[in-house]
Amino acid sequence: MRTALHGLAERGQSPWMDQLSRDLLRGGDLAALVESGVLGVTSNPTIFQEAMSSGNAYDAQKRDLHGLERKELFLALATEDVRNACDLLAGKGTSPRDGWVSMEVDPNFAHDTQATIDEARRLHEMVDRPNLFVKIPGTSESMPAIEESIANGIPVNVTLLFSLDRHREAAEAYVRGLQRLRATGGDLSKVASVASYFVSRVDTEADARLDAMRGHEVLKGRLAIANAKLAYQQYLEIFSGKAWEDLAKAGATPQWCLWASTSTKNPAYRDTRYVEELIGPETVTTMPRKTIEAFLDHGRVADTLTRGVDAARSVLDRFGEIRVSYRDITAKLERDGVRKFADSYQRLFDSLTAQPAR
């Protein structure tokens, strides 16, 4: 049966789910969602923390691995889920960004370049699947790690991107990595990347600042979508021209934008707006299950990503005019994003200690 998710794929956008757990895999829910049009999966420390701290799906493996240090225990549990999801999704869809699964490096390494490089290599080798994206946060310290990982043939999902400047840095790091890989005779067709651009969190932070000022209601709920639309325009610019065409001829594929944080935080906004307003070719949209179900039920499919680009630029200009700093908003969101994932990692470790296998 054709669904709204199939409609996204028909427009060149790969729909992913931002959730992974053993219950989803064993119960057949993920397989059913794939039939409904889900073509990829993302995970992060928060998702794994919620999955592993409830229920008993992991108990048998915990018993088998009794005595392992907490991080090693987590990696063993998570690797099994990620590997099984990779196997389920392998070969699904038709676009270059269909069939992928993402697993995040330790967020405590977000400001440690070498530790991130080492962890990315380790996860790549542990999962040992060609359709694994290793997620690396888009901090300034991680940009050399992104380049190094790509140069070593490791596919990368650059996560926690909020600003146009960071998005450009991530794209340029990817291109440099590809150039190095080509120089060493590597196969560019076997490495890939996406740039995970977070959406709804931008409105949450911007709207709070507008509320504190009062008198600018017309700008509420507008910065996140404008920001993403301009990132896509930046993508079109970076992945064009002779230098890129030379890499493409050698087998390289561009670093697609991936729209993350697509659930609606403000109940006053339509629950599918961050999916519906960013539909366009050569992109990925990743949704939590609740948003997927809402989109399957009443989602509207249309080519929207390239509409209103001039208006999007005007939105950013208007924020500058009223002295609500775009740079400050996005820098805070990056800091908060890294901290939240690190906090989830710690809660995950605490739960593995506090809840021994039954």
Side-chain angles (χ1 to χ4, degrees), residues 275-305:
V275 180
E276 293 171 340
E277 294 296 324
L278 298 173
I279 299 173
E282 298 185 352
T283 59
V284 177
T285 185
T286 185
M287 300 166 264
R289 185 166 184 175
K290 184 177 180 180
T291 304
I292 286 175
E293 290 171 349
F295 193 73
L296 286 170
D297 180 67
H298 53 266
R300 298 186 295 226
V301 179
D303 293 311
T304 54
L305 185 54

Side-chain angles (χ1 to χ4, degrees), residues 96-115:
R97 295 300 169 266
D98 294 339
W100 291 85
V101 180
S102 296
M103 183 177 183
E104 190 133 1
V105 300
D106 186 334
N108 293 294
F109 298 155
H111 303 294
D112 186 330
T113 301
Q114 189 58 51

Side-chain angles (χ1 to χ4, degrees), residues 74-152:
F74 159 69
L75 288 175
L77 298 173
T79 296
E80 180 171 322
D81 288 352
V82 171
R83 191 181 291 127
N84 288 335
C86 284
D87 291 343
L88 173 64
L89 284 156
K92 301 296 183 184
T94 58
S95 88
R97 295 300 169 266
D98 294 339
W100 291 85
V101 180
S102 296
M103 183 177 183
E104 190 133 1
V105 300
D106 186 334
N108 293 294
F109 298 155
H111 303 294
D112 186 330
T113 301
Q114 189 58 51
T116 298
I117 291 169
D118 294 341
E119 180 101 334
R121 183 182 296 111
R122 185 183 183 205
L123 295 182
H124 177 70
E125 292 173 353
M126 284 181 70
V127 175
D128 191 26
R129 293 294 186 273
N131 55 331
L132 171 74
F133 273 130
V134 176
K135 291 177 76 174
I136 296 177
T139 60
S140 60
E141 296 89 346
S142 291
M143 294 300 160
I146 294 162
E147 176 184 338
E148 184 70 19
S149 297
I150 295 298
N152 289 324

Side-chain angles (χ1 to χ4, degrees), residues 171-218:
E172 291 173 348
Y174 174 55
V175 170
R176 289 194 301 272
L178 289 173
Q179 291 168 337
R180 288 174 55 192
L181 182 62
R182 180 177 60 176
T184 58
D187 186 347
L188 273 61
S189 69
K190 292 184 178 179
V191 70
S193 182
V194 290
S196 290
Y197 212 70
F198 281 54
V199 187
S200 66
R201 293 189 197 183
V202 174
D203 273 346
T204 300
E205 180 65 27
D207 288 0
R209 297 184 184 213
L210 293 172
D211 284 340
M213 295 179 65
R214 299 184 182 180
H216 300 286
E217 293 294 308
V218 69

Side-chain angles (χ1 to χ4, degrees), residues 56-71:
N56 57 10
Y58 296 90
D59 284 0
Q61 191 179 5
K62 286 180 185 178
R63 285 192 294 269
D64 292 342
L65 299 172
H66 179 71
L68 277 184
E69 183 268 331
R70 291 183 300 176
K71 181 173 180 179

